[in-house]
């Protein structure tokens, strides 16, 4: 513990160089023989907010068409890591990312990558539902419109309707597609945000505590939805609910103080964690 | 310490007692603070109220003016003119124009003072003897020009009689309204005893009536005929300046605010720019006037006393206000909205124009209108670019010489005929304040309307 602390303190004074990278700690990994092929892969990712290091040498493979859960106590860097995956950290003043993240083998941080295209491929749903102050229809239609995905009005309408159906919201809002999206209930708004994200046809969907503002019923609706979406999308979800992680995910990664402590098949992590900190966290002793 | 936090009943009792002991002071403090707040509001209201009371009570009499109802006789013995020229077949247009001008000169040469005098005499009750000067002193000096213009337009009036309402002179207006002390000795009165008596009699008989003075809005300033002096020049001049400000300050201000807030990297240079914009907002307006005189008039060579220069100077003054207000309303947009747009793959520009600007529009509009309203009332810089010159004309374009509302107020405030122009100054202030209040009301309405749309 003390030695870990010291290395993180050194990180504050001078960010670790590539040579030092990886020698601070070792992530406990349990390979999953049943896992689908890797889609996204992070390698030695470090994130700094100004001088403060928020993530230390995180390396993980995310399999396609499955749900991966990121868990860990508050402030451990889950959201930070998630934001690295679609480069939303670029929008934060003073944030700096080192290391490598690849989508289908292509480095997201290479200069050739256009963030606009990247974010169309990797969509995001936020902790707090944040529909645009526009109509339900326009909320969902916005992404396809700016990316030029619909060639005609009817095509656009079709995209909107299928996205709303996929997000399990269509039946509830079909009579008021032109009512403001902000007038929906919290759970409906979150499903609207999911519909908005999938309308662009992303390959990966990042969800940052999508249910934290919702009641148990709305939560279970969204969990079912995630389970269905898994067939077509690669999903990464941050959650504070161990039960939720256990219910929806196939792979789980446990973060602690900016480090990826342990990752592996969800079942394995929850039934038989190998690291002491993971064990303490899932049994409720830290966090 | 530990004892007071135990759950034992005696501990709870003691805690409550301690809270209760402090309650009196806490409530007292709250009451005092509220009282101070109410007092502050009352003082502010009283100040604003007395300002309005002062301006309105002084200014409203100026909106009615004494008018003499009488009859004009276009006497052929006085107006000795040839019949107006007709365009002959084969005559060139230039020839005809020259001929017509000559005829107009002839009309002007006629003794219109006599016509006015006759018209006044027509209203004088029989038996009252007054001299010609005493008669013409009754009506405004501008009336003879008005009669002449009517005649030029309509030469067929020669030899005709026409019921006619004449504006009473400023001195008569003063006398009848009591703005000049009636007990002053004769030598300190502006009017001769005969004219004063006549004015009183005419008022009594109903020949002189007080009427709403529309000409305040339609006439330009006048020194020789003070009773007919109006604000039209200042109104149009100010309008042109507002136009320049809206066309320049709003797009430039909003664009720079958006760039600085949304696109510019945050570094030394942008910090420096930010500091300087804030400094610019604090620069006294008279300095902008000096700058305008030096740069726009001397260096660029724009005309003196022109609304375009005034507008440019006011644009400089309004820019920082608009930039600062727009930036703060951009900053107030919740980050979640930006994240939502960026997360979907919107570019920065799309995020700004599709999502951020629509929600900030009410704020930007309000800031703009308030900035423009402030510019409307600004006087000091106008004095330095010659807009306080006496200009008796409505400017046709922003490049023509003109005055402006606040400059007009300043000019009237300094007019020698204090008794008459004191009310007129307040009336002009009322017009200016009404314009500003209207603009601010529009800002509030627009804001509410736009916010309801959201
Ligand atoms: N914009 C930022 N600027 C500076 N520091 C930040 C910023 N965002 C996060 N941090 C810091 O980085 C660390 C990780 O934050 P992060 O938001 O990733 O945690 P988290 O695991 O998502 O926590 P939670 O579960 O509470 O959402 C924290 O110490 C936090 O204070
Ligand atoms: Mg978080």
């Amino acid at each position: 513990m003390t030695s870990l602390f010291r290395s993180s303190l050194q990180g504050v004074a001078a960010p670790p160089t590539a040579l030092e990278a990886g020698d601070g700690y070792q992530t406990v990994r349990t390979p999953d023989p049943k896992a689908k092929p890797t889609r996204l892969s992070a390698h030695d990712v470090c994130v700094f907010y100004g001088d403060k290091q928020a993530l230390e040498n995180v390396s993980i493979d995310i399999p396609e068409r499955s749900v991966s859960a990121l868990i860990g106590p508050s402030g451990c860097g889950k959201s930070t890591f998630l934001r690295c995956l679609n480069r939303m950290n670029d929008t934060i003043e003073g944030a700096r990312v080192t290391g490598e993240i690849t989508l289908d083998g292509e480095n997201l941080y290479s200069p050739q990558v256009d963030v606009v295209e990247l974010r169309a491929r990797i969509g995001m749903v936020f902790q707090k539902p944040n529909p645009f102050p526009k109509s339900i229809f326009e909320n969902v239609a916005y992404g396809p419109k700016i990316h030029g995905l619909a060639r005609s009005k009817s095509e656009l309408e079709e995209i909107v309707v299928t996205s709303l159906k996929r997000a399990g919201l269509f039946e509830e809002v079909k009579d008021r597609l032109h009512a403001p999206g902000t007038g929906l209930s919290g759970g409906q708004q979150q499903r609207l945000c999911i519909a908005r994200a999938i309308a662009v046809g992303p390959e990966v969907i990042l969800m940052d505590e999508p249910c934290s503002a919702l009641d148990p019923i709305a939560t279970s609706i969204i969990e079912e939805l995630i389970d269905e979406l898994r067939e077509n999308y690669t999903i990464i979800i941050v959650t504070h609910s161990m039960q939720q992680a256990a219910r929806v995910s196939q792979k789980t990664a446990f973060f602690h103080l900016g480090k990826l402590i342990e990752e592996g098949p969800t079942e394995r992590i929850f039934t038989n964690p190998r690291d002491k900190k993971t064990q303490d966290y899932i049994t409720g002793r830290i966090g | 310490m530990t004892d007071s936090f135990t759950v034992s009943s005696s501990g709870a009792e003691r805690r409550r007692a301690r809270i209760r002991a402090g309650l009196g002071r806490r409530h007292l403090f709250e009451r005092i603070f509220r009282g101070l707040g109410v007092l502050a509001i009352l003082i502010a209201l009283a100040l604003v109220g007395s300002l309005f009371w002062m301006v309105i009570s002084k200014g409203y009499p100026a909106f009615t003016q004494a008018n003499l109802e009488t009859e004009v006789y276009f006497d052929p013995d006085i107006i000795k003119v040839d019949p107006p020229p007709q365009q002959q077949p084969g005559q060139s247009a230039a020839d005809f124009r020259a001929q017509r001008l000559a005829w107009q000169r002839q009309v002007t040469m006629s003794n219109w003072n006599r016509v006015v005098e006759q018209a006044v005499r027509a209203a004088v009750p029989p038996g009252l003897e007054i001299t010609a000067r005493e008669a013409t002193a009754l009506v405004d000096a501008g009336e003879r020009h008005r009669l002449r213009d009517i005649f030029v337009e309509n030469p067929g009036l020669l030899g005709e009689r026409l019921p006619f309402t004449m504006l009473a002179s400023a001195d008569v207006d003063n006398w009848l309204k009591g703005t000049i002390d009636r007990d002053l000795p004769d030598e300190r009165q502006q009017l001769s005893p005969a004219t004063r008596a006549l004015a009183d009699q005419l008022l009594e008989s109903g020949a002189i009536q007080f009427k709403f003075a529309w000409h305040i809005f339609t006439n330009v300033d006048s020194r020789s005929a003070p009773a007919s002096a109006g604000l039209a020049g200042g109104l149009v001049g100010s309008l042109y300046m507002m136009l320049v400000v809206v066309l320049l300050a709003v797009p430039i201000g909003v664009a720079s605010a958006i760039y600085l807030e949304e696109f510019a990297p945050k570094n030394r240079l942008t910090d420096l720019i930010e500091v300087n914009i804030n400094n610019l907002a604090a620069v006294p307006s008279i300095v902008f006037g000096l700058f305008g005189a030096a740069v726009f008039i001397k260096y660029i060579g724009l005309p003196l006393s022109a609304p375009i220069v005034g507008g440019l100077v006011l644009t400089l003054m309004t820019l920082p206000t608009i930039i600062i207000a727009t930036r703060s309303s951009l900053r107030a947009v919740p980050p979640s909205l930006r994240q939502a747009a960026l997360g979907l793959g919107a570019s920065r520009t799309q995020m700004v124009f599709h999502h951020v600007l629509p929600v900030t529009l009410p704020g930007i509009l309000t800031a703009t209108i308030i900035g423009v309203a402030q510019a409307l009332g600004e006087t000091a810089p106008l004095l330095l670019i010659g807009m306080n010159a006496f200009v008796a004309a409505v400017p046709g374009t922003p490049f023509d010489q003109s005055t402006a509302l606040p400059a007009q107020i300043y000019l009237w405030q300094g007019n020698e005929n204090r008794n008459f122009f004191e009310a007129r100054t307040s009336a002009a202030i009322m017009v200016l304040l009404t314009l500003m209040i209207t603009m601010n009301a529009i800002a509030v309405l627009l804001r509410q309307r736009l916010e309801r749309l959201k």
Side-chain angles (χ1 to χ4, degrees), chain B residues 271-283 320 324 327:
Chain B
D271 281 351
L272 194 75
I273 293 176
E274 166 139 28
V275 168
N276 277 313
I277 289 175
N278 291 341
N279 284 342
L280 217 54
V283 169
I324 291 171
R327 287 188 74 177

Side-chain angles (χ1 to χ4, degrees), chain B residues 102-152:
Chain B
W103 178 79
Q104 277 182 21
R105 217 169 300 125
Q106 200 184 20
V107 172
T108 305
M109 298 294 277
S110 306
N111 192 350
W112 288 94
N113 260 340
R114 281 274 296 157
V115 181
V116 171
E117 180 201 332
Q118 297 293 348
V120 173
R121 283 190 194 284
V124 171
L128 203 78
E129 283 301 321
I130 53 167
T131 67
R133 277 194 61 178
E134 284 166 345
T136 46
L138 199 77
V139 295
D140 186 57
E143 292 306 57
R144 58 172 192 262
H145 303 304
R146 198 153 69 94
L147 282 175
R148 180 200 61 201
D149 292 345
I150 288 172
F151 179 76
V152 168

Side-chain angles (χ1 to χ4, degrees), chain A residues 1 12 16 26 37 53 70 90 106 127 172 181-182 188 193 207 225 230 239 244 253 255 258:
Chain A
M1 189 70 194
V12 172
Q26 206 68 48
Q53 185 164 13
L70 312 181
D90 292 13
E106 187 192 2
Q127 177 169 359
E172 290 158 66
T182 40
Q188 289 172 328
C193 292
M207 298 185 173
L225 173 62
R230 164 159 75 93
T239 176
Q244 185 169 62
F255 286 75

Side-chain angles (χ1 to χ4, degrees), chain A residues 78-80 83 127 208-209 238 240:
Chain A
K78 305 178 298 289
S79 302
T80 301
R83 282 198 298 264
Q127 177 169 359
D208 193 350
E209 300 181 42
V238 171
H240 271 288

